[in-house]
Amino acid sequence: PAEAPRPEPADELPETCRERLRLARQALEQRELPAALKLYDEALELAPRPVPAELLQQMGADLGRHARLPELLRLAAPYY
């Protein structure tokens, strides 16, 4: 039997966080950095504590793909 597809890491997050991650990724793809950063901030505020690694990984991957290391460090460093 075929294996079920693995869920994306962000699939394990609360819906409100997942939606903001999705919207932030779209904003980055449209080169709307301020909007993306606001959405990442909101996702972090809404996330359970401790902030799930899945959220930080997804955010890091998105920002890393768009060469936004300073922004990634500012957002993620407080949670490590």
Side-chain angles (χ1 to χ4, degrees):
E3 250 184 66
R6 282 187 77 194
E8 287 288 320
D11 287 345
E12 298 171 13
L13 296 172
E15 181 64 33
T16 53
C17 292
R18 273 185 287 166
E19 179 65 12
R20 284 184 177 68
L21 284 173
R22 185 184 66 75
L23 292 171
R25 186 176 316 118
Q26 287 178 348
L28 280 175
E29 290 168 0
Q30 296 169 0
R31 297 195 166 128
E32 296 176 5
L33 182 61
L37 295 176
K38 181 177 185 288
L39 288 159
Y40 286 128
D41 278 329
E42 290 174 6
L44 288 166
E45 287 175 20
L46 293 167
R49 296 296 186 259
V51 172
E54 294 85 9
L55 188 156
L56 297 171
Q57 290 169 347
Q58 184 67 57
M59 184 176 64
D62 295 346
L63 289 166
R65 265 193 302 279
H66 292 276
R68 297 317 231 163
L69 185 58
E71 292 84 356
L72 168 59
L73 292 173
R74 180 188 66 79
L75 287 168
Y79 300 100
Y80 283 99

